[in-house]
Coordinates of all heavy atoms in Angstrom, one line a residue:
E115 N -130.6 -28.1 -117.5 CA -131.5 -27.4 -118.5 C -132.9 -27.5 -118.1 O -133.7 -26.6 -118.3 CB -131.3 -28.0 -119.9 CG -130.0 -27.7 -120.5 CD -129.8 -26.2 -120.8 OE1 -130.7 -25.6 -121.2 OE2 -128.6 -25.7 -120.6
V116 N -133.3 -28.5 -117.4 CA -134.7 -28.6 -117.0 C -135.0 -28.2 -115.6 O -136.0 -28.5 -115.0 CB -135.3 -30.1 -117.2 CG1 -135.3 -30.4 -118.7 CG2 -134.4 -31.1 -116.5
S117 N -134.1 -27.4 -115.0 CA -134.2 -26.8 -113.7 C -134.2 -27.8 -112.5 O -134.8 -27.5 -111.5 CB -135.4 -25.9 -113.6 OG -135.3 -24.9 -114.5
F118 N -133.5 -28.9 -112.6 CA -133.3 -29.8 -111.5 C -131.9 -29.5 -110.9 O -131.0 -29.3 -111.7 CB -133.4 -31.3 -111.9 CG -134.8 -31.7 -112.4 CD1 -135.1 -32.0 -113.7 CD2 -135.8 -31.7 -111.5 CE1 -136.3 -32.3 -114.1 CE2 -137.1 -32.1 -111.8 CZ -137.4 -32.4 -113.2
A119 N -131.8 -29.5 -109.6 CA -130.5 -29.3 -109.0 C -129.6 -30.4 -109.3 O -130.0 -31.6 -109.3 CB -130.7 -29.1 -107.5
L120 N -128.3 -30.1 -109.6 CA -127.3 -31.1 -109.9 C -126.7 -31.5 -108.6 O -126.5 -30.6 -107.7 CB -126.3 -30.6 -110.9 CG -126.8 -30.2 -112.3 CD1 -125.7 -29.5 -113.1 CD2 -127.3 -31.4 -113.0
P121 N -126.2 -32.7 -108.4 CA -125.6 -33.1 -107.1 C -124.4 -32.3 -106.8 O -123.6 -32.0 -107.7 CB -125.3 -34.6 -107.4 CG -125.6 -34.9 -108.8 CD -126.3 -33.7 -109.4
A122 N -124.2 -32.0 -105.5 CA -123.0 -31.3 -105.0 C -122.8 -30.0 -105.8 O -121.7 -29.6 -106.1 CB -121.8 -32.2 -105.1
A123 N -123.9 -29.3 -106.1 CA -123.7 -28.1 -106.9 C -124.1 -26.8 -106.2 O -124.3 -25.8 -106.9 CB -124.5 -28.3 -108.2
A124 N -124.2 -26.8 -104.9 CA -124.6 -25.6 -104.2 C -123.4 -24.8 -103.8 O -122.4 -25.3 -103.4 CB -125.4 -26.0 -102.9
I125 N -123.5 -23.5 -104.0 CA -122.4 -22.5 -103.7 C -122.9 -21.7 -102.6 O -123.9 -20.9 -102.8 CB -122.0 -21.7 -104.9 CG1 -121.5 -22.6 -106.1 CG2 -121.0 -20.7 -104.5 CD1 -121.4 -21.9 -107.4
A126 N -122.3 -21.8 -101.4 CA -122.8 -21.0 -100.3 C -122.3 -19.5 -100.5 O -121.1 -19.3 -100.8 CB -122.2 -21.5 -99.0
L127 N -123.2 -18.6 -100.2 CA -122.9 -17.2 -100.3 C -122.7 -16.6 -98.9 O -123.6 -16.1 -98.3 CB -124.0 -16.4 -101.1 CG -124.3 -16.9 -102.5 CD1 -125.4 -16.2 -103.1 CD2 -123.0 -16.9 -103.4
V128 N -121.5 -16.8 -98.4 CA -121.2 -16.4 -97.0 C -120.5 -15.0 -96.9 O -120.6 -14.4 -95.8 CB -120.4 -17.5 -96.3 CG1 -121.2 -18.8 -96.1 CG2 -119.1 -17.8 -97.0
Q129 N -119.9 -14.6 -97.9 CA -119.2 -13.3 -97.9 C -120.1 -12.2 -98.3 O -121.1 -12.4 -99.0 CB -118.0 -13.4 -98.8 CG -116.9 -14.5 -98.4 CD -116.0 -14.7 -99.6 OE1 -116.0 -15.8 -100.2 NE2 -115.1 -13.8 -99.8
T130 N -119.7 -11.0 -98.0 CA -120.6 -9.8 -98.4 C -120.3 -9.5 -99.9 O -121.2 -8.9 -100.5 CB -120.3 -8.6 -97.5 OG1 -118.9 -8.3 -97.6 CG2 -120.8 -8.8 -96.1
E131 N -119.2 -9.9 -100.4 CA -118.9 -9.7 -101.8 C -118.3 -11.0 -102.4 O -117.3 -11.5 -101.8 CB -118.0 -8.5 -102.1 CG -117.7 -8.3 -103.5 CD -116.8 -7.1 -103.8 OE1 -117.3 -6.0 -103.6 OE2 -115.6 -7.3 -104.1
I132 N -118.8 -11.5 -103.5 CA -118.4 -12.8 -104.0 C -118.2 -12.6 -105.5 O -119.2 -12.1 -106.2 CB -119.4 -13.9 -103.8 CG1 -119.5 -14.1 -102.2 CG2 -119.0 -15.2 -104.4 CD1 -120.8 -14.7 -101.8
S133 N -117.0 -12.9 -106.0 CA -116.8 -12.8 -107.5 C -116.9 -14.1 -108.1 O -116.5 -15.1 -107.5 CB -115.4 -12.1 -107.7 OG -114.4 -12.9 -107.1
L134 N -117.4 -14.2 -109.3 CA -117.6 -15.5 -110.0 C -116.9 -15.4 -111.4 O -117.0 -14.3 -112.0 CB -119.1 -15.8 -110.2 CG -119.9 -15.9 -108.9 CD1 -120.8 -14.7 -108.8 CD2 -120.6 -17.1 -108.9
G135 N -116.3 -16.5 -111.8 CA -115.7 -16.5 -113.1 C -114.8 -17.7 -113.3 O -114.8 -18.6 -112.5
S136 N -114.1 -17.7 -114.4 CA -113.4 -19.0 -114.8 C -111.9 -18.9 -114.5 O -111.2 -19.8 -114.7 CB -113.6 -19.2 -116.3 OG -113.1 -18.2 -117.0
D137 N -111.4 -17.8 -113.9 CA -110.0 -17.6 -113.6 C -109.8 -17.7 -112.1 O -110.2 -16.8 -111.3 CB -109.4 -16.3 -114.1 CG -108.0 -16.1 -113.8 OD1 -107.4 -16.9 -113.1 OD2 -107.4 -15.1 -114.4
P138 N -109.2 -18.8 -111.6 CA -109.1 -19.0 -110.1 C -108.3 -17.9 -109.4 O -108.4 -17.7 -108.2 CB -108.5 -20.4 -110.0 CG -107.8 -20.7 -111.3 CD -108.6 -19.9 -112.3
K139 N -107.4 -17.2 -110.2 CA -106.6 -16.1 -109.6 C -107.4 -14.8 -109.4 O -107.0 -14.0 -108.6 CB -105.4 -15.8 -110.5 CG -104.5 -17.0 -110.5 CD -103.3 -16.7 -111.4 CE -102.4 -17.9 -111.5 NZ -101.2 -17.7 -112.4
Q140 N -108.6 -14.7 -110.0 CA -109.4 -13.5 -110.0 C -110.7 -13.6 -109.2 O -111.3 -12.6 -108.9 CB -109.7 -13.0 -111.4 CG -108.6 -12.6 -112.3 CD -109.1 -12.0 -113.6 OE1 -109.8 -11.0 -113.6 NE2 -108.8 -12.7 -114.7
V141 N -111.1 -14.8 -108.9 CA -112.5 -15.0 -108.4 C -112.5 -15.8 -107.1 O -111.6 -16.5 -106.7 CB -113.4 -15.7 -109.4 CG1 -113.5 -14.8 -110.7 CG2 -112.9 -17.1 -109.8
D142 N -113.6 -15.6 -106.4 CA -113.9 -16.4 -105.1 C -114.5 -17.7 -105.5 O -114.2 -18.7 -104.9 CB -114.8 -15.6 -104.2 CG -114.3 -14.3 -103.8 OD1 -113.1 -14.2 -103.3 OD2 -115.0 -13.3 -104.0
I143 N -115.4 -17.7 -106.5 CA -116.1 -18.9 -106.9 C -115.8 -19.2 -108.4 O -116.0 -18.4 -109.3 CB -117.7 -18.7 -106.8 CG1 -118.1 -18.3 -105.4 CG2 -118.4 -20.0 -107.3 CD1 -117.8 -19.3 -104.3
L144 N -115.2 -20.4 -108.6 CA -114.7 -20.8 -109.9 C -115.9 -21.5 -110.6 O -116.5 -22.4 -110.1 CB -113.6 -21.8 -109.8 CG -112.9 -22.2 -111.0 CD1 -112.2 -21.1 -111.7 CD2 -111.9 -23.3 -110.7
V145 N -116.2 -20.9 -111.8 CA -117.2 -21.5 -112.7 C -116.5 -21.9 -114.0 O -116.2 -21.1 -114.8 CB -118.3 -20.5 -113.0 CG1 -119.4 -21.1 -113.9 CG2 -119.0 -20.0 -111.7
E146 N -116.1 -23.2 -114.1 CA -115.3 -23.7 -115.2 C -116.2 -23.9 -116.4 O -116.9 -25.0 -116.5 CB -114.6 -24.9 -114.8 CG -113.5 -24.6 -113.7 CD -112.7 -25.9 -113.4 OE1 -113.3 -26.7 -112.6 OE2 -111.6 -26.0 -113.8
A147 N -116.3 -23.0 -117.3 CA -117.1 -23.1 -118.6 C -116.5 -22.2 -119.6 O -116.0 -21.1 -119.2 CB -118.5 -22.8 -118.3
T148 N -116.5 -22.6 -120.8 CA -115.9 -21.8 -121.9 C -116.6 -20.4 -122.1 O -115.9 -19.4 -122.5 CB -115.9 -22.5 -123.2 OG1 -117.2 -22.9 -123.6 CG2 -115.0 -23.8 -123.1
A149 N -117.9 -20.3 -121.8 CA -118.6 -19.0 -122.1 C -118.5 -18.1 -120.8 O -119.1 -17.0 -120.9 CB -120.0 -19.3 -122.4
V150 N -117.8 -18.5 -119.8 CA -117.7 -17.7 -118.6 C -116.3 -17.0 -118.6 O -115.3 -17.7 -118.8 CB -117.9 -18.6 -117.3 CG1 -117.6 -17.7 -116.1 CG2 -119.3 -19.2 -117.3
D151 N -116.3 -15.7 -118.5 CA -115.1 -14.9 -118.5 C -114.3 -15.2 -117.2 O -114.8 -15.6 -116.2 CB -115.4 -13.4 -118.6 CG -115.8 -13.0 -120.0 OD1 -116.0 -13.9 -120.9 OD2 -116.0 -11.8 -120.2
G152 N -113.0 -14.8 -117.2 CA -112.2 -14.9 -116.1 C -112.8 -14.3 -114.8 O -112.8 -14.9 -113.8
L153 N -113.2 -13.0 -114.9 CA -114.0 -12.4 -113.9 C -115.3 -12.0 -114.6 O -115.3 -11.0 -115.4 CB -113.2 -11.1 -113.4 CG -113.9 -10.3 -112.4 CD1 -114.3 -11.1 -111.1 CD2 -113.1 -9.1 -112.0
H154 N -116.3 -12.7 -114.3 CA -117.6 -12.6 -115.0 C -118.6 -11.7 -114.3 O -119.2 -10.9 -114.9 CB -118.1 -14.0 -115.3 CG -119.2 -14.1 -116.3 ND1 -119.0 -14.5 -117.6 CD2 -120.5 -13.8 -116.2 CE1 -120.1 -14.4 -118.2 NE2 -121.1 -14.0 -117.4
A155 N -118.8 -12.0 -113.0 CA -119.9 -11.3 -112.3 C -119.5 -11.2 -110.8 O -118.6 -11.9 -110.3 CB -121.2 -12.0 -112.4

């Protein structure tokens, strides 16, 4: 919340297209949080 990096929290953006969301079957990067849709962004 106060804009400090959390440990081990970097996500490398190496692909030309990266999907983010909470459903591991639909996304490249898993963001496990209740307010994040299966395929969010």
Side-chain angles (χ1 to χ4, degrees):
E115 290 294 322
V116 291
S117 296
F118 293 111
L120 297 174
I125 299 167
L127 302 178
V128 293
Q129 300 165 251
T130 56
E131 181 176 289
I132 298 154
S133 56
L134 302 111
S136 61
D137 183 349
K139 294 179 182 178
Q140 297 186 61
V141 298
D142 301 308
I143 304 296
L144 186 64
V145 181
E146 295 181 283
T148 56
V150 175
D151 286 7
L153 177 58
H154 194 101

